[in-house]
Amino acid sequence: MFPCDFAWGAGTAAYQIEGGWQADGKGPSIWDTFCHEKKGRVFGDQNGDVSCNSYELWEKDLECIQQLGLTHYRLSLSWARLLPDGTTRHVNQKGVQYYNKVIDGLLACNVSPMVTLYHFDLPQALQDQGGWKSPGIATLFDSYAKFCFQTFGDRVKLWLTINEPYVCAKLGHEDGIHAPGLKEPGIAAYLAGHNMLRAHAMAWHSYNSTYRATQKGAVSLAINSDWLEPSRAEIMRSAIDAQSKKLGYNGSSRLPSFSKEEPAILGTADFFALNYYTSRKVEPGGGCGKALSMKTDRDAAEVLDPSWPICGVSWLAVVPYGLRKLLKYIKYTCNNPAVYITENGFSQVGPLQIEDVQRSEFYKDTVLEVAKAIQEDGVNVRGYFAWSLLDNFEWADGFSVRFGLFHVDFADANRRRRMYHSGREYAKLISEYKTLS
Ligand code: FCB
């Protein structure tokens, strides 16, 4: 049912779990600044200064990974921990040692790392020079990427350059609800997104020309997409157009300079890395003021289906079958690529529920949909990464929204980790499906 080399994983990101925000020579990142400089940006004015303290407690994370029986673990590198001012002029050896310990620790347990180079945390020093809006950032990212390929690529074989360029660009540069907190209507988010794609492509080409032959790994970028379901057959076309836009095929790009660079950007993904969380229904003609209307386009509106259960956070309707449909859509529109589901999860809010039965059901249902996508639809799915290994700092929601397979007690000095029922369920699924493959 699942190929025997299927990647069973879980993911995290540096700023969300590491803490140690100024430990051992780390430079500040835009998330450090975003949380510290002004009140009212993050739930309860919380920050990631300590979070799960994985900077010190990474061996505890390894224990969690082993308890789940994962074959893969997705982590991100903090650019500012490795290169405090963002450039290779100054390398923080303590940062290199930290990631070496984690990567070697994973390999010693027979777990393969999937490494994200950039998960929302730009070095503040580079933000001070214009950040993602400035075209020069692409070259700086490329140097950072080459440094990482050179330093860790003998052991890391799966790379993601940038996590969710859409989210970084839009939430960070237009909505102002993520770092760097810019609320600039107009072209800012497009410029940032454009430079992220240029940066990604440069790094992919560097890997391709310099490292691929010896390191034999693969490089992609993680794209977030919801599934858009036509509410009625006759509006299929609007749903397909909207879905294409979600996946980034926006024919009416407002960036005139884009086309010039397209040849260098096209084809710069060795696999399709998909972050999927939720689905929307597409209604014709603007959705007409419905309370559940999320977004309105010229010809169509995205709405939530009232029959879909909502999990902890309001944007998250739980629709496991949407993942299967999206995978099939990717198969047919993107020429049957190898796909890794690099994030998928279900959050809870409110009082601690270690026996989180609803989340356990969610993992069971979702993994079954992935199995059907492979077996019945012939989608080339190579791996599934639950988000997240641990409860962590959920960006603007702080610690109020919990996505972990392990509960983390943030009031405890030792940040005790405790497996949720959903963690046990995921471990069970992995071991059962492994024996079938
Ligand atoms: C994604 C992010 C990840 C996490 C999940 C819930 O957009 O990549 O860090 O916050 O959402």
Side-chain angles (χ1 to χ4, degrees):
M1 175 174 312
F2 285 92
C4 56
D5 58 351
F6 191 80
W8 290 104
T12 57
Y15 187 73
Q16 294 182 280
I17 64 160
E18 283 178 4
W21 78 283
Q22 10 182 40
D24 296 337
K26 175 184 167 292
S29 83
I30 55 173
W31 267 95
D32 294 315
T33 309
F34 184 75
C35 296
H36 292 156
E37 107 192 320
K38 236 201 242 171
K39 288 201 181 307
R41 284 173 156 173
V42 173
F43 175 89
D45 295 320
Q46 293 168 336
N47 58 55
D49 289 3
V50 182
S51 191
C52 310
N53 197 10
S54 292
Y55 187 64
E56 288 177 298
L57 302 175
W58 57 275
E59 283 161 300
K60 298 265 174 249
D61 298 349
L62 283 186
E63 285 168 23
C64 297
I65 290 166
Q66 286 178 288
Q67 281 177 44
L68 292 170
L70 302 181
T71 64
H72 287 65
Y73 175 58
R74 177 180 174 214
L75 69 150
S76 86
L77 308 180
S78 157
W79 187 342
R81 194 180 292 294
L82 289 165
L83 310 177
D85 71 0
T87 76
T88 47
R89 279 195 298 270
H90 168 50
V91 175
N92 177 24
Q93 289 305 336
K94 287 275 171 63
V96 174
Q97 279 163 23
Y98 170 64
Y99 292 116
N100 274 335
K101 279 188 298 198
V102 176
I103 292 168
D104 292 344
L106 288 166
L107 293 171
C109 310
N110 229 353
V111 175
S112 305
M114 172 185 267
V115 171
T116 313
L117 294 174
Y118 184 77
H119 201 123
F120 301 173
D121 51 351
L122 193 72
Q124 182 60 41
L126 300 184
Q127 186 60 41
D128 297 342
Q129 297 164 38
W132 287 110
K133 286 196 301 175
S134 140
I137 192 77
T139 320
L140 291 164
F141 180 79
D142 183 42
S143 303
Y144 162 60
K146 285 191 280 204
F147 167 78
C148 295
F149 298 148
Q150 181 78 41
T151 311
F152 307 111
D154 54 335
R155 290 152 292 153
V156 175
K157 303 300 163 191
L158 287 170
W159 293 99
L160 296 169
T161 53
I162 297 179
N163 182 66
E164 301 187 348
Y166 171 82
V167 170
C168 291
K170 176 89 166 52
L171 276 56
H173 300 79
E174 187 172 306
D175 304 339
I177 54 175
H178 273 200
L182 304 179
K183 288 189 181 145
E184 295 182 9
I187 203 149
Y190 284 88
L191 285 178
H194 183 209
N195 288 325
M196 284 176 204
L197 293 185
R198 292 177 54 243
H200 157 78
M202 281 179 84
W204 183 90
H205 283 290
S206 294
Y207 191 84
N208 200 41
S209 57
T210 312
Y211 301 97
R212 187 187 297 281
T214 47
Q215 299 188 351
K216 300 186 171 44
V219 182
S220 188
L221 77 172
I223 303 287
N224 55 296
S225 182
D226 308 338
W227 167 246
L228 297 181
E229 172 89 1
S231 62
R232 296 198 300 276
E234 71 268 22
I235 61 142
M236 196 63 160
R237 185 69 245 164
S238 311
I240 289 175
D241 289 349
Q243 188 71 60
S244 305
K245 280 186 196 160
K246 284 249 137 132
L247 283 169
Y249 305 128
N250 188 348
S252 59
S253 166
R254 281 193 248 158
L255 286 164
S257 62
F258 221 97
S259 53
K260 204 168 70 219
E261 286 164 332
E262 264 177 8
I265 296 173
L266 278 178
T268 55
D270 299 323
F271 54 91
F272 197 115
L274 172 70
N275 292 357
Y276 168 82
Y277 284 93
T278 191
S279 293
R280 307 266 177 244
K281 282 240 154 103
V282 176
E283 293 276 341
C288 313
K290 282 209 181 84
L292 288 172
S293 176
M294 306 295 295
K295 219 191 214 172
T296 307
D297 208 334
R298 195 160 40 91
D299 321 304
E302 295 175 28
V303 297
L304 289 176
D305 183 322
S307 73
W308 289 339
I310 302 285
C311 84
V313 268
S314 57
W315 53 270
L316 242 177
V318 183
V319 195
Y321 76 77
L323 175 57
R324 176 178 174 191
K325 292 195 171 188
L326 183 53
L327 288 169
K328 203 166 158 187
Y329 181 88
I330 289 169
K331 173 181 171 181
Y332 288 109
T333 53
C334 304
N335 201 16
N336 196 15
V339 180
Y340 284 86
I341 298 151
T342 38
E343 281 181 33
N344 173 248
F346 182 122
S347 65
Q348 57 176 332
V349 291
L352 167 64
Q353 296 168 58
I354 281 285
E355 296 303 312
D356 55 341
V357 179
Q358 209 195 348
R359 296 209 300 159
S360 304
E361 291 301 311
F362 161 83
Y363 279 111
K364 227 195 285 181
D365 295 347
T366 304
V367 169
L368 188 62
E369 294 296 332
V370 177
K372 288 190 209 155
I374 295 172
Q375 217 172 15
E376 295 173 33
D377 308 333
V379 186
N380 185 11
V381 188
R382 312 291 311 160
Y384 174 85
F385 290 72
W387 184 271
S388 170
L389 180 69
L390 306 171
D391 284 345
N392 60 48
F393 179 81
E394 179 46 37
W395 310 117
D397 289 321
F399 299 103
S400 68
V401 171
R402 295 175 173 271
F403 271 95
L405 294 164
F406 281 79
H407 174 263
V408 177
D409 182 354
F410 294 105
D412 169 38
N414 298 316
R415 297 299 192 268
R416 178 174 170 220
R417 283 106 161 108
R418 230 180 340 151
M419 201 192 252
Y420 283 110
H421 188 282
S422 53
R424 290 207 296 281
E425 182 62 47
Y426 187 45
K428 196 166 126 224
L429 287 167
I430 295 174
S431 90
E432 283 171 6
Y433 280 116
K434 264 192 200 160
T435 52
L436 290 175
S437 56

